[in-house]
Amino acid sequence: APAAIAREAEQLPTILQTLSDAGKLEVGGLDLQLAPTNVARLVRDTVSDMLHVTKARRVTVELDDPVVINVDPLRIRQVLVNLLSNAARFSPAEAPIEITSELSDASFELRVRDGGLGIPVERREQVFDKFAHFDHTAQGNGLGLYLSREIARAHGGDLFLAAGDASGCSLVLRLRRNYNR
């Protein structure tokens, strides 16, 4: 039990930050500190830092590199942490997590795909609702994807579920390449 208490204590700052961010969205939005950021490096660093969450899962990263975009690196990292945490939480231990990107003149798309059961078609938009839960055994406060989508939209981008996966779930973070508030 002491180990479980220690793990819960480690998560407390993240939980408090999440609730604070949700409150900020209610009263007018998040403050962004935009800076030219190598998004591919940010993704790789975040994956490396998240090894304790992804545990023994194989995480493959295939990105266009280097891609420098004007973003708030802390907020985009927050989105990445959420997407990786969800992928690890909702897929079997042996299922890989795949991270890929697609670059166009206008946007950079980052796709995080897991090997879980996927999301029923009729519930796909609801995953972005505040306090959304689909699995009564799942941990979390139901704010992660809601906040992640709002962070993406604050950057002039979006976060959405990719259509057509036979199994698993693919979330796509789309960022505008030339974003300037």
Side-chain angles (χ1 to χ4, degrees):
I5 292 169
R7 281 193 305 276
E8 292 296 321
E10 283 177 17
Q11 292 179 2
L12 191 56
T14 303
I15 293 167
L16 293 174
Q17 182 65 51
T18 299
L19 293 172
S20 172
D21 288 345
K24 288 176 187 174
L25 284 170
E26 296 291 324
V27 295
L30 299 168
D31 291 328
L32 297 181
Q33 304 298 317
L34 299 177
T37 304
N38 182 331
V39 181
R41 183 180 307 135
L42 180 63
V43 170
R44 286 188 179 93
D45 289 347
T46 303
V47 168
S48 178
D49 294 343
M50 295 283 295
L51 289 177
H52 68 286
V53 173
T54 56
K55 297 187 173 82
R57 283 178 180 78
R58 186 167 43 92
V59 180
T60 61
V61 180
E62 293 181 25
L63 302 176
D64 293 293
D65 192 16
V67 179
V68 177
I69 303 176
N70 207 29
V71 297
D72 182 329
L74 293 176
R75 291 295 184 183
I76 297 303
R77 179 182 168 86
Q78 186 178 356
V79 173
L80 296 171
V81 165
N82 191 306
L83 297 181
L84 282 166
S85 297
N86 281 354
R89 186 182 307 142
F90 295 112
S91 60
E94 68 280 359
I97 297 169
E98 300 168 356
I99 303 173
T100 57
S101 68
E102 188 172 314
L103 190 61
S104 72
D105 289 341
S107 67
F108 173 78
E109 288 188 356
L110 184 78
R111 180 182 298 243
V112 178
R113 185 176 190 288
D114 67 41
L117 296 174
I119 298 170
V121 173
E122 67 276 8
R123 310 233 22 215
R124 290 176 69 85
E125 267 311 298
Q126 296 170 357
V127 299
F128 298 103
D129 291 349
K130 269 194 286 190
F131 310 116
H133 281 284
F134 299 108
D135 178 352
H136 67 280
T137 65
Q139 299 174 344
N141 53 30
L143 289 171
L145 289 178
Y146 163 74
L147 281 174
S148 294
R149 177 180 260 185
E150 293 302 319
I151 289 168
R153 288 179 172 175
H155 282 86
D158 205 357
L159 178 68
F160 55 92
L161 278 161
D165 280 339
S167 65
C169 176
S170 290
L171 283 150
V172 179
L173 171 63
R174 178 181 295 146
L175 297 170
R176 287 179 30 200
R177 290 188 66 186
N178 58 354
Y179 186 65
N180 238 333
R181 253 196 165 177

